[in-house]
Amino acid sequence: MSPAADPTPPGLNPLAWRLAERIAQEGPITAADYMTACLHDPEHGYYATRPRLGAEGDFITAPLVSQMFGEMLGAWVAEVWVRLGQPAPFRLVEVGPGDGTLMSDMLRVLARAPGLLAAAELWLVESSQPLRARQAERLAGHAPQWAGRLSEVPAGAPMILLANELLDCLPVRQFLRTSAGWAERRVGLDAEGRLAFGLAPTPPDFRPPPGLDQPPEGVIVELSPAQAAFGTVIGARIARDGGAALLIDYGRAAPEPGDTLQALVAHQKVDPLACPGEADLTVHADFSTVAAAARQAGADTAPILGQGEFLLRLGVEHRAAALAQARPDLAERIGRQLARLVDPDQMGALFKVLAIHQNGHPVPGFEA
Ligand code: SAH
């Protein structure tokens, strides 16, 4: 890695240029800092400026595959609320609500639970201004309130929290096992001044993930202090005020090695360093770390389930059958959507569900 060559190499986009200048001055940056800049840089970050969700955009999520997803989660929330003793008020929190589809599908179901909506205070934790605007449009009439981070949602009442495909946006640091021990994988500059991966010494407090302390040479492991911190905040809030949380994402249920940094433009994988801020940049959720952090903070967690198994336990195939009966002309499409959500070779197995709950209050779908 060498300082940026002069003049600027052609083809650097504005954020790449800015990062190249920063790296030339400060040295290579961690994968986590790179991710944060790509997603949230106020002028050029993907979510801050140009989030494109959906079939016409860069990536698709379960609520955008089918209304059944949000409806099942709505039924889950209603049952949790009853099991908690119908607390009023309670905070209904979604973190990273995207275009608001998931919450709007959930609210349709929640409206049928007597007293629930009157007791619910709706909070949306969202960093992206363009997405806040779309949420405001879609959820007009439900008086949502917004927060930039979960800790800004006032404590003092039970919380039922949902987050779909949020953990995969929370940045990771990456570490490579070399013949000489561990090194941190960082983003620096190549001889032409373009962004390139390189290696730097590990920080003094570096500890490899449990079970991965002596992997073969060439193996990359990821650590996400941000995902762990999210588990801590949720766990502490639930331990204090009561409630439950459901986190759904693609990722691993137990520590596993691997570089999972992935950039998508128009549903196609692109080089994560090629066009910073123009691609959605994600990593695999590290569920065991999030769960351990939540337990450490005083809450309980349920065994992690695949999304397919979870939705089937909640009865998604009955919902699909009812929808198909009401619209026989759409039956085939509904069948395809169901398969997409639950089949193990589609979203059913790679996507996982972590429930965090108040001690002594197990949540639906996770009973043995
Ligand atoms: N849950 C939605 C959208 C997933 S995309 C769905 O399933 O369709 C990720 C969402 O998380 C977006 O709304 C994005 O703006 C938001 N987000 C990403 N990082 C965030 C952060 N650090 N804090 C709050 N919201 C964040």
Side-chain angles (χ1 to χ4, degrees), residues 10 31 59 62 115 123 129 165-166 190 233 262 269 293 333 339 359:
F59 65 101
W123 281 90
Q129 291 304 334
E165 292 212 30
L166 179 273
D190 67 13
V233 174
Q262 172 180 287
K269 284 185 195 179
R333 190 204 292 180
N359 285 303

Side-chain angles (χ1 to χ4, degrees), residues 40 47 53 61 63 94 96-98 126-128 131 164-166 169:
H40 304 300
Y47 283 114
L53 284 71
T61 60
E94 186 179 356
E126 176 57 71
S127 57
S128 161
L131 287 176
N164 187 59
E165 292 212 30
L166 179 273
C169 303

Side-chain angles (χ1 to χ4, degrees), residues 103-172:
M103 184 53 80
S104 105
D105 290 339
M106 284 178 34
L107 287 168
R108 238 182 7 258
V109 171
L110 292 175
R112 287 193 245 127
L116 190 149
L117 285 189
E121 213 182 76
L122 181 55
W123 281 90
L124 306 175
V125 179
E126 176 57 71
S127 57
S128 161
Q129 291 304 334
L131 287 176
R132 282 189 185 200
R134 295 180 60 183
Q135 293 153 19
E137 234 168 78
R138 179 146 299 161
L139 301 170
H142 291 283
Q145 301 179 75
W146 280 268
R149 31 180 66 233
L150 180 54
S151 52
E152 290 163 17
V153 175
M159 165 179 90
I160 303 179
L161 177 146
L162 287 296
N164 187 59
E165 292 212 30
L166 179 273
L167 288 173
D168 68 60
C169 303
L170 300 183
V172 299

